[in-house]
Amino acid sequence: MNIEQFQEYCISLPGVTEEFPFGEEILVYKVKGKVFALTNIDDFQSVNLKCDPENAVELRERYDGVKPGYHMNKKHWNTVEVHSNIPNKLLLQWIRDSYDLVVKSLPKKDRESLVS
């Protein structure tokens, strides 16, 4: 996966915004103001994704390219190396899982305003 594919997929999800709240290098994707994915846009080597805590540990044990979230709450976030042995299809699913996890935590009114 390259940065353009990552950007295109993230922004295609309902209610998503693309922002740079941490400086010019850190690309952040939010749904209704809540972060679900972030990466370094200049050095696209990894992506931070929100993850169910039990699933996060399982993925780290199963895939060498999945680590505890870099500069994030390691219980709820994983850092996925995009050029590792993880297929693009699986990475896209994890991005969607991260998005869905954040949407699930939104107030009912915000959830209902999103059509996916």
Side-chain angles (χ1 to χ4, degrees):
M1 175 175 292
N2 62 39
I3 188 67
E4 290 84 9
Q5 293 167 316
F6 171 73
Q7 289 177 285
E8 186 177 308
Y9 182 72
C10 288
I11 204 69
S12 75
L13 298 171
V16 170
T17 59
E18 184 179 82
E19 303 176 20
F20 290 90
F22 307 117
E24 296 176 4
E25 295 178 351
I26 307 302
L27 176 61
V28 177
Y29 287 94
K30 297 180 179 182
V31 57
K32 296 292 184 175
K34 302 289 184 182
V35 177
F36 72 91
L38 59 150
T39 190
N40 184 314
I41 195 168
D42 295 330
D43 182 32
F44 186 64
Q45 298 298 315
S46 64
V47 176
N48 281 5
L49 300 171
K50 193 155 187 145
C51 193
D52 172 80
E54 289 180 20
N55 194 30
V57 172
E58 180 184 326
L59 293 176
R60 292 173 202 159
E61 291 172 353
R62 188 170 181 191
Y63 298 97
D64 290 336
V66 180
K67 310 287 184 209
Y70 181 69
H71 285 299
M72 305 296 282
N73 180 327
K74 288 158 183 31
K75 181 177 179 181
H76 297 279
W77 289 85
N78 278 339
T79 296
V80 181
E81 296 169 357
V82 295
H83 303 297
S84 63
N85 61 343
I86 297 164
N88 283 351
K89 184 176 180 178
L90 190 54
L91 181 54
L92 290 172
Q93 180 60 54
W94 291 345
I95 294 168
R96 180 61 193 230
D97 290 347
S98 179
Y99 170 87
D100 288 342
L101 192 60
V102 171
V103 167
K104 185 178 169 182
S105 72
L106 294 172
K108 184 177 180 181
K109 181 180 178 183
D110 287 341
R111 286 193 314 268
E112 289 175 347
S113 73
L114 300 170
V115 178
S116 56

